[in-house]
Amino acid sequence: MAEVIMKTITDAKEGVSNKLADANKILTLKDVQENFDKLKGAIMIVYPMKLPPYDPVQTEIDGCEDLSGTQASLDVIEKGKGSLWWAGKEFMPEKTLEDYIGKNEK
């Protein structure tokens, strides 16, 4: 059973790897969700009676993971509080990329 989970983990990592950028493939939310669903399926196959409700994997599958009091809670950026910077400029949501770098008229 461990082989099922390990193979699924390897496949999921490849499915969201930064190597996709090298191959000029776009990673979409749909791709991430499909890989998450594969992991969820593997867990359901290996643990048909479910994991205990306090297990971190089960809380992630159920969508009720509580990170309070953990180191991982420091890595979470609340929606609306993050910003994207590039070349010393902060990108604003109401502007387009063209506003920052100009048109590519090639």
Side-chain angles (χ1 to χ4, degrees), residues 83-91 97 100-102:
S83 62
L84 178 64
W85 286 77
W86 177 75
K89 299 175 187 172
E90 182 178 10
F91 281 40
L97 186 58
Y100 295 101
I101 61 172

Side-chain angles (χ1 to χ4, degrees), residues 2 9 12 22-23 38 75-77 81 90 95 103 106:
I9 289 171
D22 296 337
K38 288 177 187 176
D75 295 334
V76 177
I77 299 173
K81 290 192 176 182
E90 182 178 10
K95 291 187 174 183
K103 280 190 170 187
K106 288 185 178 182

Side-chain angles (χ1 to χ4, degrees), residues 30-103:
K30 181 181 174 189
D31 298 329
V32 174
Q33 186 62 48
E34 285 176 2
N35 283 293
F36 181 74
D37 290 342
K38 288 177 187 176
L39 289 168
K40 199 157 90 171
I43 295 297
M44 291 171 69
I45 289 169
V46 175
Y47 298 100
M49 300 299 286
K50 287 184 132 184
L51 291 165
Y54 55 83
D55 190 280
V57 174
Q58 188 63 45
T59 58
E60 185 65 38
I61 288 172
D62 294 340
C64 60
E65 184 177 27
D66 182 20
L67 296 176
S68 58
T70 66
Q71 181 67 28
S73 67
L74 303 175
D75 295 334
V76 177
I77 299 173
E78 293 180 32
K79 188 175 183 178
K81 290 192 176 182
S83 62
L84 178 64
W85 286 77
W86 177 75
K89 299 175 187 172
E90 182 178 10
F91 281 40
M92 304 306 288
E94 61 273 0
K95 291 187 174 183
T96 64
L97 186 58
E98 178 184 353
D99 295 334
Y100 295 101
I101 61 172
K103 280 190 170 187

